[in-house]
Amino acid sequence: MSAPMLQRPIFGGVFGDGRYALATMPAIVNGLHAVSFMVIEPREGSVLSVAEDKVRALASARRLLRLSSPVSAYVEPPWRQGQLFPCTEVSSAATRRKRVSRRRRAIFWRGEGRCFYCRCSLQIDGQWAAEHQIPLALGGDDAPLNLVPSCVRCNSRKRDRTALEFVRDRGDSQ
Ligand SMILES: [Zn+2]
């Protein structure tokens, strides 16, 4: 492929070992400049899925991987710590499988499976919070743009501050 691609490893879910990457590629859609997303396996040089939106590219790659590998071959990814604080509280629930609502999945994938604040990896069915960047108490709402995935630790530390205040206050205390 000649077009430049930006690659980021994917963590969480069936992409847990970081073997797969999400790549973006400039594209022209209906005469407009846009970006297409693809899930690739850089080591093999293979492309698993291509879509005009990230959620769809991830979803079809995930489906493909689920279908192609027996459940027994799936290995839980190693726990990764956040760059700023470790998120140890979350790991105990990481191995439990439970049903995750569509809305929660959307928030999770939009946040790339990481805590919005400390960037630690989250398990989609683990204990993470759909966090209001602008708290309800300060007039925030449940609109998708106001919701981000957050680890339990950041969620409990943030309390009623806005996302901006939280990040700023955290910077001051270091
Ligand atoms: Zn966090």
Side-chain angles (χ1 to χ4, degrees):
M1 211 157 296
S2 57
M5 289 201 292
L6 239 157
Q7 288 176 23
R8 278 179 321 217
I10 304 170
F11 301 112
V14 289
F15 308 110
D17 57 4
R19 177 170 155 199
Y20 302 96
L22 184 68
T24 51
M25 199 180 68
I28 304 284
V29 178
N30 298 332
L32 297 169
H33 289 277
V35 167
S36 23
F37 292 90
M38 49 175 79
V39 174
I40 58 174
E41 195 174 4
R43 266 180 266 166
E44 310 284 328
S46 57
V47 176
L48 275 79
S49 66
V50 184
E52 276 162 39
D53 85 71
K54 189 164 71 179
V55 174
R56 220 171 303 158
L58 287 165
S60 51
R62 210 158 57 226
R63 210 172 309 127
L64 197 81
L65 289 171
R66 287 241 166 81
L67 289 175
S68 63
S69 65
V71 177
S72 59
Y74 171 59
V75 181
E76 197 68 34
W79 184 249
R80 284 167 197 278
Q81 292 198 327
Q83 291 169 323
L84 299 178
F85 351 92
C87 299
T88 44
E89 295 96 313
V90 191
S91 61
S92 60
T95 49
R96 225 181 304 138
R97 294 259 152 242
K98 65 177 187 226
R99 202 164 142 55
V100 181
S101 71
R102 187 183 204 146
R103 179 180 161 85
R104 209 166 143 82
R105 281 178 189 279
I107 295 167
F108 183 88
W109 288 118
R110 212 172 35 242
E112 298 171 356
R114 288 174 178 271
C115 170
F116 181 76
Y117 302 104
C118 72
R119 309 300 296 157
C120 73
S121 286
L122 302 169
Q123 297 289 333
I124 193 161
D125 58 354
Q127 281 183 349
W128 54 272
E131 219 278 325
H132 291 87
Q133 291 193 68
I134 299 171
L136 296 174
L138 297 180
D141 56 19
D142 286 330
L145 278 177
N146 194 32
L147 290 167
V148 290
S150 163
C151 71
V152 175
R153 186 179 174 121
C154 289
N155 183 244
S156 68
R157 287 183 168 196
K158 180 173 171 280
R159 294 191 197 95
D160 270 356
R161 285 174 286 182
T162 64
L164 268 175
E165 288 167 336
F166 176 53
V167 171
R168 189 197 58 207
D169 295 352
R170 201 181 56 189
D172 290 347
S173 66
Q174 276 167 356

